[in-house]
């Protein structure tokens, strides 16, 4: 049996003198999607940044394809692991195609191959019609899709790096309902090609529909970890968010849907 693509063992993170993630413990196979949920300040973004090495743990370990994260040379790690942060500051008037092409920086796949990959990612994120437009003139939702395309092409092909991990911190922020659905379908397509996915999502119903497993955090502590039907319950939502909800089953997908009020 092959080792998991991602292994997180008793990972503990600290910021400002307090523990922000306390002994997180999970693994992720190639092609599996884990959604991290929880209230603001739960430690979700801290956790996802630790998975790429931006945040150093005070205890525990992260392994990629069986090898400690710190042991990966920077270029090899960049070919295998990509992160979409909550905010991506870019104030230069690069075209959309130029911004997306930045994601191929770690690779040596050649100009022709990279051009084709950029074209495929532009189409996948519904921004092909924007390819020559300056990035600085885009709307917030358009910028979000450009940044998503940029990180997706970093892990686009198995032949470039083998096992791959895509980390998404609020990938559908600023997107309308149609493009939320579009983006999550493209994420699912990457997972179907063997990319392991960890996403942070505030929309619990959206997370439950698209993730194989969910990890619920509050104050850095793991409250629940398992299948969406096990994690998303009215009792768990009360525990996480201090609010009453009703959880029903989606008539088509069979996944939990959270109703507010």
């Amino acid at each position: 049996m092959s080792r998991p693509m991602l292994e997180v063992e008793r990972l503990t993170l600290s910021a400002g003198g307090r523990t922000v993630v306390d002994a997180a413990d999970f693994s992720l196979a190639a092609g599996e999607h884990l959604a991290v949920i929880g209230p603001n300040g739960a430690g979700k973004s801290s956790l996802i940044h630790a998975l790429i090495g931006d945040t150093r743990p005070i205890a525990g370990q992260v392994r990629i394809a069986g090898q400690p994260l710190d042991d990966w040379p920077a270029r090899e790690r960049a070919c295998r692991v990509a992160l979409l942060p909550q905010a991506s500051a870019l104030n230069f008037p690069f075209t959309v195609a130029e911004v997306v092409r930045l994601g191929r920086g770690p690779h040596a796949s050649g100009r022709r191959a990279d051009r084709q990959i950029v074209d495929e990612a532009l189409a996948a994120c519904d921004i092909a019609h924007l390819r020559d437009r300056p990035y600085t003139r885009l709307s917030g939702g358009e910028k979000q899709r450009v940044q998503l395309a940029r990180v997706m092409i970093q892990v686009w092909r198995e032949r470039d790096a083998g096992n791959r991990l895509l980390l998404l911190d609020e990938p559908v922020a600023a997107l309308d309902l149609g493009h939320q659905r579009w983006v999550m379908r493209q994420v699912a397509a990457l997972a179907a090609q063997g990319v392991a996915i960890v996403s942070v999502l505030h929309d619990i119903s959206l997370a439950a529909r698209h993730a194989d497993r969910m990890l619920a955090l509050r104050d850095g502590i793991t409250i629940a970890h398992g299948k969406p039907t096990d994690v998303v319950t009215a009792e768990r939502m009360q525990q996480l968010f201090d609010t009453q909800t009703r959880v029903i089953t989606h008539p088509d997908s069979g996944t939990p849907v959270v109703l507010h009020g």
Side-chain angles (χ1 to χ4, degrees):
M1 185 176 179
S2 60
R3 296 198 66 155
M5 171 55 190
L6 171 67
E7 297 170 275
V8 177
E9 292 185 351
R10 309 293 295 173
L11 189 72
T12 301
L13 308 172
S14 177
R18 69 181 186 91
T19 299
V20 294
V21 174
D22 189 4
D25 210 2
F26 61 89
S27 63
L28 198 63
E32 197 172 17
H33 184 174
L34 174 74
V36 184
I37 64 169
N40 294 336
K44 305 184 298 297
S45 292
S46 296
L47 172 62
I48 209 167
H49 278 270
L51 302 183
I52 202 170
D54 288 346
T55 303
R56 298 194 63 82
I58 59 173
Q61 190 176 63
V62 176
R63 288 195 294 271
I64 303 293
Q67 185 171 319
L69 184 62
D70 288 345
D71 289 355
W72 283 100
R75 182 178 172 276
E76 287 188 44
R77 184 167 63 188
C79 289
R80 290 174 176 266
V81 186
L83 168 67
L84 176 70
Q86 281 188 21
S88 302
L90 179 61
N91 297 317
F92 296 100
F94 294 156
T95 67
V96 165
E98 288 171 336
V99 173
V100 173
R101 194 176 296 116
L102 294 174
R104 296 302 296 173
H107 299 282
S109 42
R111 183 175 297 179
R112 179 178 298 178
D114 288 349
R115 186 182 302 115
Q116 179 180 344
I117 292 169
V118 168
D119 289 344
E120 291 171 356
L122 290 171
C125 292
D126 192 27
I127 50 175
H129 61 292
L130 301 174
R131 64 174 304 127
D132 296 320
R133 187 174 298 182
Y135 178 82
T136 50
R137 296 184 185 176
L138 302 180
S139 70
E142 289 169 340
K143 288 180 178 179
Q144 182 75 353
R145 283 182 280 146
V146 172
Q147 293 296 338
L148 178 63
R150 177 184 61 79
V151 298
M152 285 173 63
I153 69 168
Q154 196 173 329
V155 293
W156 194 256
R157 303 192 309 183
E158 183 178 8
R159 75 183 78 168
D160 293 325
N163 293 331
R164 295 155 292 159
L165 174 64
L166 180 61
L167 307 171
L168 304 169
D169 197 351
E170 286 299 324
V172 297
L175 298 186
D176 59 54
L177 288 176
H179 282 111
Q180 286 183 22
R181 185 180 183 187
W182 186 296
V183 163
M184 295 309 293
R185 282 182 173 178
Q186 303 314 313
V187 171
L190 280 178
Q193 297 170 27
V195 179
I197 313 285
V198 180
S199 64
V200 172
L201 293 166
H202 276 298
D203 187 327
I204 308 301
S205 302
L206 187 72
R209 175 142 193 174
H210 292 279
D212 300 298
R213 288 186 290 122
M214 300 178 73
L215 178 72
L217 297 178
R218 175 161 181 166
D219 297 326
I221 298 170
T222 298
I223 301 299
H225 175 217
K227 296 179 180 179
T229 50
D230 297 328
V231 173
V232 183
T233 65
E235 294 78 14
R236 198 77 73 192
M237 297 301 100
Q238 174 72 44
Q239 186 180 10
L240 283 172
F241 301 105
D242 291 326
T243 188
Q244 290 187 346
T245 61
R246 183 183 175 199
V247 177
I248 64 172
T249 300
H250 194 286
D252 297 326
S253 66
T255 55
V257 175
V258 179
L259 303 179
H260 302 279

